[in-house]
């Protein structure tokens, strides 16, 4: 979660040029876009997205009325710092005329004149940052962006770019307004623009500077209302040349487009060529595959799709109960992929620094117009609210599934080099829906959107067969980002992508900016889906039931002032600017500087220079940052009474201004109109004065809080330096206190280590860990000895061995023992009976022989007992 360390810096505040480029020089009570007609005022007040800030690196393009301001934020910051340094060292240092930040040199910002007739509502820069699309409520212009070097040129006059009007007979004020304009992620060198109008018509424009006709007519136009009712791919789903009627109809009411988007170019599966459309009334549709005539895929897209399609066709052939619709879809995808495989891609030179792009031609079969998938069923969706604004969608954001490089390169020797960001995350897509009331719905696309086409006209048996299971999205989480007073009909929240993670974004509505991060549960859910161990259902249930996403409100404006909504946030991360969020109103910019996230470098892999000097550690921030107070813009506006009086002098009541005040209907009319003007001004001035009074009171409270914190810090410092000891008490040196704390910390660390070691031992005993090599060798040795000593197991093979086994030797010893005992007993009987009296054996000889025999018997008995005891020990073990 980003931590705000400062708000709008000084170089973006008054009276510096960084502040003026965000404001209009015309200060009047009437909107700058008004040309006197009520239709223009009505279109200007129409609710819709305000993406008036676009960036290219550290350069920003700001739409102010009908103009575009172009500035380099780093240049503005350095110019302000240079000015401050010259002022601090005296004026004599600033006398050098060669200073690049002097008034005679470049200022780091320019004004760009445009050809639009109304206020600019959106600015969208192409992927390679060489084109910019300029959108009003009904028109689209494409301009070629100049080089950044022009910012530092000596000429500071307003600049005129080369403009092209997109669809001069299509996107006009007499037709439906424009809901979204997107640069196709698979366009050749980022030159394919997709426009989606409010009447659900999608147009693809393949732009080329060499061909001006490419700006007049789209290469592909699809009417989603016709496509929703289509039954055959051979039908005509193109948009009407004369436009559609603006009268009421169920289709125009339910299929009024709120927003559309693509997933990232590096997403897996069919995501890069899937257009998601969010309807104002709450329906969500998908169009896949939506491709221009010439398209340039990333290196991994076609191989991954080819592997998945072939695997799907093989699985359906082996499956017995596969439906005809599934088999038809698989055959259509295989036919589509076969045509791509048969092509020989062309190589197109990209912008400087970019590798050449491989260009393919869009397959003609099964058809160039895909099937409209939807509306999607939202499973586990929240209950319908009584507030109508909870069901009106304003924006959609899709995060595609990650690219599975291991599955794609299975069996290959080479490793595939992918962006580390694309390899991390969830293997399923995430669809985020945002309503006018600020309600955010985070949905999971578990089934995954695949390419689909309508059947051909000759396939009558499948033409009218509806899918048994309509597409669905699983609602994972629902969050509220707006407060009660901030919800109104003109509110239009929008998404802004973060630069650190594709699973975090910012939501900007009329008066607030909120940070949302899905990272706490995305990686945990991916682990559970991949491992599928015991208890997975329970753990996934805990993830779904708990509030896992991070949500933090970063900025809150005055919700009562609805005439100055916030522009969609632009997030920048640069070494010179830091981690930076920029938004603006019509009265000036608003910036938030975040604490830079930790970046861990592999110190073993990178080599440092011998003269490497690490940056000093930044001081700790002990205070809570807060935005500086700026007086309300109402206090800077001039009164409208002089204009009112001047208008009355040329009106029909001009005679009354020169006469005495008399009670008459004409006088009452003038006083009533004057009261309206004065009452509105006094109300605005009173509100601004009340806000100033509240800020003064808050300043006193903040000052008391700062004094309390300073006193607390001083007390802690005195406690460390032993300056807080009263008279009569023993003085404890600071070193002794520190040593005691270190000793206590070491004892605590030793105790924790002992506890961890005890837990580790208990866990080792209770866990079935793998045996070591020595333990395996010991088991083999015991098993071999058991086989040798077990007569039942080794009886059949004992005779075939040359060497005698221990059990054979044991039996042989027993037989020898019995034989010797029998022989001894027989010899004793023969000596008594058959020995003649004249033959006398000396007693010493008999005793020696008996002692020898008994010694042999004792030895054999000891061997038998030892073998017996060893066998008993082996059997017990």
């Amino acid at each position: 979660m980003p931590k705000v360390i400062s708000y709008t810096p000084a170089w973006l505040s008054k009276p510096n040029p960084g502040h003026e480029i965000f404001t209009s020089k015309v200060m009047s009570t009437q909107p700058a876009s008004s040309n006197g007609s009520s239709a223009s005022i009505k279109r200007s007040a129409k609710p819709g997205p305000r993406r008036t800030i676009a960036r290219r690196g550290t350069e920003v393009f700001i739409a102010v009325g009908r103009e575009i301001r172009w500035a380099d934020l780093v240049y503005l910051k350095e110019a302000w710092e240079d000015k401050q340094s010259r002022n601090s060292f005296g004026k004599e240092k600033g006398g050098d005329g060669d200073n690049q930040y002097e008034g005679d040199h470049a200022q780091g910002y320019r004004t760009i004149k445009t050809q639009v007739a109304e206020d600019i509502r959106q600015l969208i820069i192409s992927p390679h940052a060489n084109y910019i699309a300029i959108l009003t409520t009904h028109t689209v212009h494409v301009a070629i962006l100049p080089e950044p070097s022009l910012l530092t040129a000596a000429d500071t006059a307003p600049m005129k770019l080369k403009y092209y009007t997109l669809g001069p007979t299509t996107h006009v004020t007499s037709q439906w307004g424009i809901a979204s304009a997107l640069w196709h992620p698979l366009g050749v060198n980022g030159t394919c623009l997709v426009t989606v109008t409010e009447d659900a018509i999608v147009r693809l424009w393949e732009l080329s500077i060499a061909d001006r006709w490419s700006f007049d007519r789209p290469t592909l136009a699809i009417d989603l209302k016709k496509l929703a009712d289509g039954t055959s791919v051979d039908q005509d789903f193109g948009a009407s040349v004369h436009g559609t009627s603006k009268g009421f109809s169920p289709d125009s009411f339910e299929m009024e487009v709120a927003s559309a988007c693509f997933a990232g170019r590096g997403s897996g599966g069919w995501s890069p060529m899937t257009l998601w459309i969010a309807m104002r009334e709450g329906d969500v549709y998908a169009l896949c595959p939506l491709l221009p005539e010439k398209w340039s895929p990333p290196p991994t897209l076609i191989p991954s799709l080819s592997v998945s399609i072939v695997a799907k066709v093989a699985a359906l052939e082996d499956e017995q109960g596969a439906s005809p619709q599934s088999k038809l879809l698989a055959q259509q995808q295989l036919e589509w992929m076969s045509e791509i495989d048969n092509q020989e891609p062309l190589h197109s030179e990209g912008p400087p620094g970019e590798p050449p792009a491989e260009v393919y031609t869009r397959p003609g079969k099964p058809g160039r117009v895909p099937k409209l998938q939807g509306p999607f069923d939202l499973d586990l969706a929240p209950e319908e609210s009584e507030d109508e604004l909870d069901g009106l969608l304003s924006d959609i954001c899709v995060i595609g599934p990650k690219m599975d490089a291991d599955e794609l390169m299975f069996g290959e020797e080479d490793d595939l080099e992918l962006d580390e960001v694309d390899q991390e995350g969830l293997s399923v897509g995430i669809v985020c829906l945002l309503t006018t009331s600020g309600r955010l719905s985070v949905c999971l696309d578990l089934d995954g959107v695949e390419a689909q086409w309508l059947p051909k006209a000759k396939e009558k048996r499948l033409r009218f067969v509806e899918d048994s299971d309509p597409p669905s999205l699983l609602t994972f989480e629902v969050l509220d980002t707006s407060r009660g007073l901030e919800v109104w009909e003109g509110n239009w929240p929008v998404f802004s992508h973060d630069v650190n993670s594709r699973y975090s974004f910012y939501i900007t509505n009329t008066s607030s900016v909120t940070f949302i991060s899905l990272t706490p549960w995305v990686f945990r859910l991916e682990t559970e889906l991949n491992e599928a161990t015991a208890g997975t259902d329970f753990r996934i249930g805990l993830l779904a039931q708990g509030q896992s996403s991070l949500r933090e409100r970063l900025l809150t404006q005055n919700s009562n002032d609805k005439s100055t909504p916030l522009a969609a946030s632009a997030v920048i991360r640069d070494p010179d600017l830091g981690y930076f969020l920029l938004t603006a109103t019509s009265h000036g910019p608003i910036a938030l500087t975040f604490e830079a996230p930790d970046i861990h470098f592999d110190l073993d892999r990178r080599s440092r220079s011998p003269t490497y000097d690490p940056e000093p550690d930044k001081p700790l921030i002990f205070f809570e940052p807060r935005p500086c107070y700026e007086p309300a813009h109402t206090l800077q506006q001039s009164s409208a009474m002089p204009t009112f009086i001047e208008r009355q002098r040329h009106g029909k009541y001009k005679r009354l201004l020169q006469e005495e005040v008399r009670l008459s209907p004409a006088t009452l009319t003038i006083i009533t109109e004057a009261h309206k003007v004065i009452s509105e001004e006094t109300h605005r001035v009173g509100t601004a004065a009340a806000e100033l009074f509240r800020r003064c009171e808050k300043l006193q409270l903040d000052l008391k809080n700062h004094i309390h914190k300073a006193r607390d810090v001083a007390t802690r410092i005195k406690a460390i330096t032993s300056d807080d000891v009263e008279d009569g008490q023993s003085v404890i040196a600071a070193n002794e206190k520190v040593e005691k704390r270190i000793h206590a910390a070491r004892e605590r660390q030793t105790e924790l280590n002992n506890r961890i070691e005890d837990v580790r031992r208990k866990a080792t005993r209770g866990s079935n860990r793998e045996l070591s090599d020595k333990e395996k060798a010991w088991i083999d040795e015991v098993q071999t000895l058991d086989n040798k000593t077990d007569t039942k197991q080794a009886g059949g093979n004992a005779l075939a061995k040359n060497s005698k086994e221990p059990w054979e030797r044991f039996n042989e010893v027993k037989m020898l023992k019995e034989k010797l005992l029998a022989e001894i007993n027989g010899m004793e009987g023969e000596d008594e009976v058959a020995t003649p009296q004249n033959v006398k054996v000396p007693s010493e000889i008999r005793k020696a022989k008996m002692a020898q025999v008994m010694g042999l018997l004792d030895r054999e008995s000891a061997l038998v007992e030892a073998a017996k005891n060893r066998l008993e020990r082996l059997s017990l073990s």
Side-chain angles (χ1 to χ4, degrees):
M1 182 176 295
K3 180 181 179 181
V4 180
I5 59 176
S6 65
Y7 286 86
T8 307
W11 51 277
L12 285 178
S13 303
K14 296 179 181 178
N16 297 300
H19 180 274
E20 300 301 326
I21 61 177
F22 288 86
T23 60
S24 176
K25 296 181 181 179
V26 180
M27 302 295 295
S28 61
T29 57
Q30 190 176 6
S33 63
S34 176
N35 57 2
S37 64
S38 59
S40 177
I41 299 176
K42 184 177 180 180
R43 287 193 295 269
S44 300
K46 180 181 178 181
R50 295 190 71 254
R51 306 182 187 274
T52 56
I53 301 177
R55 75 177 187 92
R56 181 177 64 175
T58 60
E59 304 171 56
V60 291
F61 299 83
I62 307 102
V64 181
R66 304 176 189 177
E67 292 181 347
I68 297 178
R69 311 288 173 80
W70 177 30
D72 189 345
L73 298 180
V74 175
Y75 194 95
L76 293 176
K77 180 181 178 181
E78 292 177 351
W80 179 82
E81 292 175 349
D82 179 77
K83 181 179 178 181
Q84 295 298 318
S85 64
R86 287 188 288 107
N87 292 338
S88 61
F89 286 101
K91 295 183 179 180
E92 64 277 1
K93 184 178 179 180
D96 187 4
D98 295 334
N99 194 332
Q100 63 172 338
Y101 302 115
E102 288 292 334
D104 296 338
H105 294 73
Q107 301 298 316
Y109 60 90
R110 298 286 295 273
T111 299
I112 301 176
K113 295 296 184 179
T114 62
Q115 299 176 351
V116 299
E118 297 178 356
D119 281 357
I120 300 173
R121 304 293 290 268
Q122 299 185 61
L123 295 176
I124 304 168
I125 293 183
S126 63
H128 294 304
N130 49 358
Y131 300 100
I132 184 171
I134 306 170
L135 279 70
T136 63
T137 56
H138 290 76
T139 61
V140 181
H141 294 78
V142 178
I144 302 176
L145 291 180
E147 294 296 330
S149 58
L150 294 179
L151 279 175
T152 56
D155 186 11
T156 58
M159 181 188 303
K160 293 183 179 180
L161 302 180
K162 190 173 184 179
Y163 292 92
Y164 298 90
T165 302
L166 193 69
T169 60
T170 303
H171 297 307
V172 292
T173 56
S174 61
Q175 300 297 330
W176 288 81
I178 299 173
S180 293
L182 312 166
W183 293 98
H184 201 293
L186 301 182
V188 179
N189 295 328
T191 57
C192 178
L193 186 64
V194 180
T195 59
V196 185
T197 54
E198 295 176 352
D199 58 340
I201 295 180
V202 179
R203 295 179 175 90
L204 273 74
W205 309 79
E206 299 181 47
L207 308 179
S208 176
I209 303 300
D211 184 10
R212 295 185 61 90
W213 287 100
S214 62
F215 295 88
D216 293 341
R217 290 186 178 275
T219 57
L220 182 63
I222 304 174
D223 191 344
L224 299 184
K225 295 187 293 295
K226 296 180 181 179
L227 188 59
D229 299 330
T231 57
S232 172
V233 74
D234 302 324
Q235 293 178 343
D236 182 16
F237 302 108
S240 175
V241 179
H242 303 287
T244 58
S245 174
K246 292 188 178 181
F248 173 81
S249 67
D251 288 340
S252 62
F253 178 74
E254 295 180 357
M255 299 193 71
E256 180 182 355
V257 177
S259 180
C261 74
F262 285 98
R265 177 180 172 87
S267 303
W270 299 89
S271 298
M273 60 184 73
T274 302
L275 177 66
W276 293 82
I277 306 104
M279 302 301 175
R280 190 76 171 123
E281 293 300 318
D283 292 335
V284 179
Y285 294 86
L287 205 60
C288 177
L290 183 65
L291 292 173
E293 185 66 27
K294 300 293 183 180
W295 58 291
S296 174
T300 58
L301 180 60
I302 292 180
S304 62
L305 292 180
S306 178
V307 170
S308 62
I309 290 174
V310 172
K312 182 178 180 180
V313 172
L316 289 176
E317 290 180 354
D318 297 337
E319 186 178 355
Q320 298 294 334
S323 62
Q325 292 83 4
S326 301
K327 293 182 178 180
L328 176 61
L329 176 60
Q331 292 298 327
Q332 287 179 336
Q333 294 180 358
L334 183 61
E335 183 180 6
W336 184 82
M337 181 55 65
S338 299
E339 187 171 346
I340 294 179
D341 293 337
N342 294 331
Q343 294 183 18
E344 187 66 27
L346 302 177
H347 294 276
S348 175
E349 292 295 333
E354 296 291 336
E358 293 185 350
V359 180
Y360 289 84
T361 303
R362 179 181 58 206
K365 296 180 181 179
R368 64 174 188 169
V369 178
K371 177 183 177 182
L372 182 63
Q373 304 179 41
F376 285 77
D377 292 338
L378 299 182
D379 297 337
L380 302 180
E383 297 181 358
E384 295 185 1
S385 174
E386 297 180 358
D387 190 357
E388 296 181 358
L389 300 181
D390 289 339
L392 297 179
L393 295 181
S394 62
D395 202 2
I396 182 173
C397 176
V398 178
I399 305 173
K402 68 175 183 179
M403 177 67 69
D404 193 352
D406 296 336
E407 181 180 357
L408 178 60
M409 302 304 293
F410 180 76
E412 299 290 340
E413 296 180 357
D414 298 335
D415 294 333
L416 185 62
E417 295 183 1
L418 291 177
D419 190 358
E420 186 177 348
V421 177
D422 297 333
Q423 298 185 40
E424 297 179 350
L426 199 60
S427 57
V428 298
I430 300 178
V431 180
C432 300
L433 304 175
L434 196 59
T435 64
T436 302
S437 62
R439 173 178 292 180
L440 171 66
S441 299
V442 181
C443 306
L444 301 179
D445 183 19
L446 298 178
D447 298 331
V449 175
E450 296 182 353
Q452 293 187 20
W453 296 268
L454 291 171
K456 296 182 179 179
K458 60 182 180 180
E459 298 172 348
K460 298 181 180 180
R461 61 186 181 89
L462 296 176
R463 192 197 307 184
F464 300 101
V465 178
E466 297 292 338
D467 294 337
S468 58
D469 296 329
S472 63
L473 299 173
L474 178 62
T475 304
F476 187 84
E477 193 173 14
V478 178
L479 301 173
D480 289 327
T481 60
S482 298
R483 298 170 182 172
L485 298 177
E486 298 174 351
V487 179
W488 61 294
E489 294 81 0
N491 190 28
W492 198 281
V494 293
F495 291 102
S496 298
H497 295 284
D498 192 12
V499 295
N500 292 324
S501 174
R502 65 192 189 113
Y503 290 101
S504 59
F505 47 82
Y506 296 86
I507 297 177
T508 308
N509 60 15
T510 305
S511 57
S512 67
V513 178
T514 306
F515 173 76
I516 302 293
S517 177
L518 311 180
T519 53
W521 58 267
V522 163
F523 299 99
R524 293 168 57 191
L525 180 60
E526 177 65 16
T527 302
E528 298 296 340
L529 293 178
N530 289 337
E531 294 181 356
T533 57
T536 299
D537 297 340
F538 174 74
R539 291 190 292 271
I540 292 179
L542 292 180
L543 283 177
Q545 294 174 5
Q547 296 291 337
S548 301
S549 298
L550 296 179
R551 173 184 54 181
E552 182 182 5
R553 173 166 289 207
L554 303 175
L555 177 66
T556 302
Q557 290 286 100
N558 184 12
S559 59
N560 296 326
D561 190 4
K562 297 181 174 60
S563 61
T564 58
L566 292 173
S569 302
V571 185
I572 305 173
R573 184 174 178 182
D574 184 77
D576 296 321
L577 297 176
Y579 188 13
F580 196 76
L581 182 141
L582 181 64
T583 183
T585 64
S586 58
H587 305 293
I590 301 174
L592 286 79
T593 304
F594 303 118
E595 185 178 6
D598 296 334
I599 302 177
H600 302 284
F601 294 98
D602 192 353
L603 298 180
D604 297 333
R605 294 185 179 179
R606 71 173 186 177
S607 60
R608 288 181 174 177
S609 173
T611 60
Y612 174 75
D613 186 14
E615 296 182 0
D617 295 335
K618 296 181 180 179
L620 297 177
I621 300 175
F622 293 101
F623 61 90
E624 181 181 357
R626 66 176 187 271
C628 297
Y629 170 72
E630 293 185 2
H633 61 277
T634 303
L635 302 178
Q636 302 175 358
Q637 291 181 352
S638 58
S639 176
M641 281 303 298
T643 305
F644 172 78
I645 295 175
E646 186 67 21
R647 189 169 62 250
Q648 296 300 325
R649 287 177 179 176
H650 297 83
K652 61 180 180 179
Y653 301 116
K654 59 182 179 180
R655 182 177 56 85
L656 298 178
L657 299 178
Q658 301 174 359
E659 298 178 355
E660 297 181 358
V661 177
R662 299 179 181 179
L663 298 179
S664 65
T667 304
L668 180 61
T669 301
I670 295 177
I671 294 177
T672 302
E673 293 180 357
H675 181 267
K676 291 180 181 179
V677 176
I678 294 177
S679 63
E680 183 179 355
E681 289 185 355
T682 53
H683 174 72
R684 289 189 278 109
V685 172
T687 303
E691 179 65 20
L692 178 59
F693 178 77
R694 286 192 295 267
R695 287 302 183 100
C696 292
E697 288 187 338
K698 188 175 184 299
L699 182 61
Q700 296 178 359
L701 297 177
D702 292 340
L703 182 59
K704 293 180 180 179
N705 189 19
H706 288 176
I707 294 174
H708 176 72
K709 289 184 178 180
R711 187 184 296 113
D712 186 16
V713 173
T715 303
R716 295 171 60 185
I717 293 174
K718 289 181 179 180
I720 295 175
T721 59
S722 302
D723 295 339
D724 61 337
V725 179
E726 298 179 358
D727 297 338
Q729 295 183 357
S730 60
V731 178
I732 302 176
N735 292 337
E736 186 177 354
K737 287 185 176 182
V738 174
E739 289 177 358
K740 285 184 178 180
R741 293 179 61 186
I742 293 175
H743 181 68
R746 287 178 177 175
E747 291 182 350
R748 178 63 176 168
Q749 184 68 21
T750 304
E751 182 183 354
L752 291 176
N753 291 335
N754 295 334
R755 291 174 61 184
I756 292 173
E757 186 66 22
D758 294 339
V759 172
R760 187 186 64 79
R761 291 173 181 172
K762 293 180 180 180
T764 303
R765 295 172 186 173
S767 61
N768 296 328
R769 60 186 181 89
E770 296 183 358
L771 299 177
S772 63
D773 295 338
K774 293 184 179 180
E775 291 173 341
K776 292 179 180 179
W778 183 79
I779 291 175
D780 295 338
E781 183 180 356
V782 172
Q783 187 67 28
T784 303
L785 184 59
D786 182 57
N787 294 335
K788 290 183 178 181
T789 57
D790 191 358
T791 58
K792 296 181 180 180
Q793 296 182 4
N797 298 330
L799 298 176
K801 297 181 180 179
N802 297 327
S803 61
K804 294 183 179 180
E805 300 294 338
W807 62 272
E808 294 181 351
R809 297 172 60 189
F810 176 70
N811 292 337
E812 186 176 355
V813 169
K814 291 173 64 178
M815 293 174 61
L816 289 174
K817 176 184 176 182
E818 294 175 357
K819 184 178 180 180
L820 289 174
L821 289 175
E823 291 180 357
I824 292 171
N825 293 332
M827 291 174 62
E828 290 179 353
E830 292 178 356
D831 290 341
E832 294 178 357
V833 177
T835 302
Q837 295 183 358
N838 57 356
V839 179
K840 294 181 179 181
V841 179
S843 62
E844 292 81 9
I845 296 176
R846 288 200 304 268
K847 290 179 180 180
K849 290 292 185 182
M850 289 299 297
Q852 183 180 2
V853 171
M854 294 306 295
L856 292 174
L857 291 176
D858 293 338
R859 182 180 179 183
E860 295 296 332
S861 299
L863 291 174
V864 171
E865 292 296 328
K868 182 179 179 181
N869 293 335
R870 187 174 182 184
L871 290 174
E872 289 177 356
R873 288 196 303 270
L874 291 174
S875 63
L876 291 176
S877 62

